Amino acid sequence: ATVSVLNWCMLRAYGRQVVRMSTSAAPAGWREEGRRVLQECNGVELLKYRHVKYGTGVVLAELPGPICGAAMDFATEAKDNKGLPHCLEHLCFFESKRYPRGVLDLLATRCGSQGTNASTDHDHTDYEFEVAGQAGLLRILPVFLHHILAPSLAQSHFTTEVFHVNGKGQNQGVVYSEMVGRCNGEQDLLWNKVLSTTFGKGSPYSFECGGKPEDIAKLTRKEIAKYHEEVYTTDNLHMLITGRIDVDKVLDCIASALDQAVADGASVKCVDRPFTKKLAVPDQASTRECVVFPSDDMSVGSYMFAVRLPYSMHNAEAMVATDILLRYLTDLASSPLNQAFVELADPIASSVIADRQWTVEQYFNLELAGVPYQKRGAAFQPLAPYLKDHNLKGAAAAAALAEEDEELEEDEEGEEGEEEPEDEPMPEAGAASNPFSLPQEKGTDWFLEDDALLARVVAVLEIAEREIRKGDAEHGEWRALRDAIVKERITRKEDFEDSPHSCLTSVLPELYFENYPHADPAPPFGATVDDTEAFAALAEKPASWWADNLKTQILAPLKATLETGKGAVEVRSIPDAKLAQHNEKQQDRLTAANKKTYGRDGLAKFKTKLEAAEEKNKIHLSDAAKAAFPEETKIGDVADMPRELTLHPTAAGRVEMMDLMVQTYFVDVRVYFNFSQVPIQLRRYMILFDYLLLSSNVLGEDYRDVVAALDRDMVNSNAAVSRFGRFMSPGTQPDLMCLYFVAVPEKAHLLAEWLKKIVTGVEFTPERVRTHCKNMLSEMSENMRDGGSVLEHCMAQACFEPDSQYSLLSPFSQKNFLKRALSDLPGTVAKLQELLALLQSTAVPVSVLVAGRDLAARQAVRADIEQVLAQRESARPAVFSAYPWGTGAADKRVKQGRGFAVGVGGCDAAYISIDAPVALTPKDGKRYWALRLLCAAVSIGEGDLTLAVRGKGLAYGAGLYFHTYQSTVSLEVWECTNVRETLDSAFEVLHNIPDEDASSVLSDFNIRNSIGSMVHGVKAKRETPSDIIDSSATACMKGIFTQQAEEADEALLHTLTRADLLEAYETHVKPALLAQHQGLVAGVVCDPQHVPQNAKHLSDVLAIAVTPLKSLKPLYDMADGTIASLC
């Protein structure tokens, strides 16, 4: 396939257009099918069109930010576990019948996108991209559509991307590697079982939509091509386009692209359209199931319940009502299910999550995670799936379980940390007045005693129904539910402001399920995203209506399961160390079988076939085609949302304040505290402190009343250590704690009031400390089962000194620390109160960001907050203007590097990180931007690194990254099935960068593409009001205090040349990663079986000593012991 220069010139013709929404008649070839103004979404207007000839449905919406978004969906369904829709999704990105490989992603990045993407679910496949500005949208869209509707689907693409056996007998392929890393995870197994039980065996929801590795190996290219022809038709294509768009131009662009695709063989009519027949209600003997997942941490499991709802997605009022009920039951610490399961002296679950799901038939799920799992005997029936999988029966089954129990007992003898002390009975404050304070028998085994947990859920729902029916509008559950109605509505408004494109994608099921025989008649277009009428109607419903709704839709099915075994679906998720050990050797067994089956000659043929496929899949764009690419998108080409930033410096009687004018419906306050100089003895308590800060008693008021009142007064509130981190993750700035409050303008006066209550009036109690410590330990167990999370925590522990925040806040430090905190609750309470006192102390620098639309409102809030935080006699130290971005973390970096390979049971793929320090900060201007651009040029989609690793099917992905806050550069690989070949391929790319003949990284073509992709990153950080608030705070901490200074700094990106990037390579990347830097830290996380082998691979490639650790236990012991000695 070739692309002519003329075609490229036509693509270039789409220049900057005047942005307007069409108000005239539909463009030629299109039929308008609906308009709707979304009152709940800031008055955004949705327009729906249908292509008359091809049947493609398109929804468009104008949004105010600089980013345009496109989503292109097909209804798809699986009929087995081969992952056919998923594999097709991957292959569409290679090349089309008109555009050769590389054109799509390279054009996308050139035009201001970070690349194209897709995802496959059980009932649809979604292709999407974001781009800075409409000009880029109009260039990318026709090329992407052609790849989707008219892909080449070559055998060579299938070989590397889906599945192959290499010359060593190893199973590989990008999709194969991805699913090896995912399909045995707890969440995948749990959700697949829930869906198959809810919708029945043989339904599209009963199969693994991503594919099971053993079945992917049986799939053929012909099957994929046939499926594409039948399902990827123009009349089964449904699109959403958002941003500052000209509707006529967008529709003309799509129409031309459809003409082109059909001319090149795209199918128009979907004969056997997915989801046109009613899904049957499964007739099962029981709806209670169990899954066993591999994990060497057997401390906690999960329960999930699911209920098919009696209405369809056409019934907006019923959907919103369900969402409100689920919010009422689970959203707050004071909510009924949290009170009965989470907020206990001995928690039964670490979290309770409920959500309504957007499947073709609506259902909701209720998950209780972190449920303590006690050792069970061989008679425990839910282990039947494990026994069946391993063909164990009778005495053999009992023997296997006994053997496992023996091994686990041996493992537990060496369990990390100290034994938890025996708990003294601790009556919970306020329990007498709490209707959900149910009796809890100590030592209950929630997995062995079949009905215990479900019976408790049913009891809670019965109490909630009874209490709501009382109709007490001033107190109790009816007031809590009415609060939930109000909060659900305002939260949807906030969600839309924060993620408008994502929120509007909920209109797409209206299109791709439009031929399904729904139970309710089809409403007017856009009803699924327009909740105005639903909320108005629901606000008038009496308490009895809500109680009836809860009883019939939620309580009754769960009660039926309890009483008869049939009703709601119940699935238990149980960890199993034996299964983890079995799975560790699975890929080795498959390799051995391949060697035996195919022999030396057969494997040699596989090697030749793979090499031929890799050669054929290389990008071969002519100089003429490259020259025809449009100019890269510039930062100045796309206007931002209006903003105005003013920094008010600290002074006597004042704190440093950032005033930010931004077009938000809300008033936003963020208070940043810097704890870097606080003694280490207190800093170790920071995660527990931020967990408790907004869910504790305040000024004598019970925490339940506090969280309910805070939820009524604020749109959103949070306390978080670090920025942009996950659970116990270092994130961007682990020395910061942010108190975050958002209010509607009418309640802006309460922002400072709540801040004052929190920083002066929180009262930590032993009961709350105990509950949170136990829940955090359970969450930690779940988090540390994931290979990617474990690697992140291991790298933080290995890269930084023991007294750094990275070490102090990691699970390796926190696990045994939290156990000790449990053994001395009064002492822990005292330390937390010390931390609270520091929030008003000059020992802790503070800065405040106040954002909103109205100047007077912001000024009033700033004045109120100064009354709370300012020191009357002196200036309080500031965060923003004195923040050590790029140097603060470097000061705590280890001076001597190290390597490690760590085993995690149940981790079926490998994760790699190689990290070294560089001496750069934002103040280095052009050199700082040069390293950022170099990393983008190496990692760009369809670039050298991607082709060398993912292109060969060695791993799901790889990238080179510059971590600007830590001032490090790192090579990272995820979901890898061949560590040695991946390392060799990746380092070959890095070594070849200066060689113009061997590398395209520093070519003018690649640099310009990479600049375009970085423009998207710059613009995306100012896409929405909340993005602008985050990026403004970040800019100030980098020493950039005005919009003009920020724009001047960003303009440096467009001044960079090949020489600048080559200097960045020679000065930073090469010494850091390729020259045995003394501060280099390298790690790999994989299954325990392959730790010695992967440690050797890492050591051989990097020429460093690598410590093999087959479990996490030594890391817990080492980290805890070292940090404890410093305290």
Side-chain angles (χ1 to χ4, degrees), residues 437-455:
S437 181
L438 303 178
Q440 181 182 1
E441 186 176 338
K442 188 172 177 61
T444 301
D445 188 326
W446 300 103
F447 288 93
L448 182 60
E449 298 179 25
D450 279 357
D451 292 336
L453 191 138
L454 178 55

Side-chain angles (χ1 to χ4, degrees), residues 487-687:
K487 193 57 179 281
E488 180 69 23
R489 188 169 192 171
I490 195 66
T491 298
R492 291 184 182 208
K493 194 174 187 74
E494 184 193 30
D495 288 345
F496 179 80
E497 186 174 280
D498 289 348
S499 305
H501 178 83
S502 177
C503 287
L504 290 178
T505 57
S506 59
V507 77
L508 286 170
E510 281 191 35
L511 277 67
Y512 55 73
F513 291 142
E514 62 189 353
N515 293 309
Y516 186 78
H518 293 289
D520 305 294
F525 163 68
T528 53
V529 290
D530 186 5
D531 308 318
T532 309
E533 294 177 5
F535 276 110
L538 292 170
E540 301 301 318
K541 301 292 185 186
S544 58
W545 184 91
W546 287 97
D548 290 343
N549 203 307
L550 187 152
K551 181 178 181 180
T552 57
Q553 293 189 17
I554 301 176
L555 171 58
L558 289 162
K559 194 170 183 178
T561 299
L562 180 65
E563 294 173 349
T564 69
K566 294 179 66 175
V569 169
E570 176 196 85
V571 179
R572 308 176 192 196
S573 176
I574 297 173
D576 192 278
K578 189 90 171 178
L579 186 56
Q581 293 167 9
H582 176 271
N583 285 0
E584 288 169 19
K585 303 173 184 177
Q586 177 65 7
Q587 294 305 313
D588 291 342
R589 285 192 289 269
L590 292 173
T591 299
N594 286 339
K595 288 179 178 178
K596 183 177 180 180
T597 301
Y598 301 113
R600 184 175 297 178
D601 291 343
L603 295 180
K605 290 179 181 178
F606 283 139
K607 181 181 179 182
T608 301
K609 179 182 176 183
L610 177 59
E611 289 172 348
E614 290 173 353
E615 181 61 33
K616 192 172 182 179
N617 289 346
K618 287 181 177 178
I619 294 174
H620 299 287
L621 286 181
S622 68
D623 291 340
K626 291 179 181 178
F629 267 60
E631 287 292 315
E632 72 271 22
T633 300
K634 307 289 197 303
I635 293 174
D637 291 345
V638 184
D640 290 324
M641 295 178 71
R643 71 189 192 281
E644 187 175 336
L645 173 67
T646 306
L647 187 68
H648 298 276
T650 184
R654 299 184 64 176
V655 297
E656 184 178 61
M657 291 266 188
M658 182 201 300
D659 180 86
L660 179 62
M661 187 288 292
V662 64
Q663 297 298 315
T664 174
Y665 176 74
F666 307 101
V667 181
D668 190 305
V669 168
R670 305 186 188 196
V671 185
Y672 296 95
F673 299 93
N674 189 337
F675 281 82
S676 60
Q677 300 307 310
V678 170
I680 188 173
Q681 294 88 338
L682 289 178
R683 280 188 284 131
R684 209 173 184 189
Y685 288 86
M686 280 184 63
I687 290 184

Side-chain angles (χ1 to χ4, degrees), residues 371-415:
V371 179
Y373 176 52
Q374 301 179 22
K375 234 173 69 163
R376 73 279 178 278
F380 183 39
Q381 291 307 306
L383 275 178
Y386 171 82
L387 302 177
K388 181 180 178 183
D389 287 347
H390 295 82
N391 297 313
L392 299 173
K393 299 178 182 178
L401 291 171
E403 178 189 347
E404 179 180 358
D405 287 339
E406 236 176 78
E407 291 179 9
L408 294 175
E409 281 173 8
E410 291 171 8
D411 291 342
E412 286 168 1
E413 287 174 9
E415 266 300 307

Side-chain angles (χ1 to χ4, degrees), residues 421-441:
E422 283 296 319
D423 297 320
E424 294 295 326
M426 184 177 288
E428 188 183 1
S433 60
N434 177 15
F436 304 105
S437 181
L438 303 178
Q440 181 182 1
E441 186 176 338

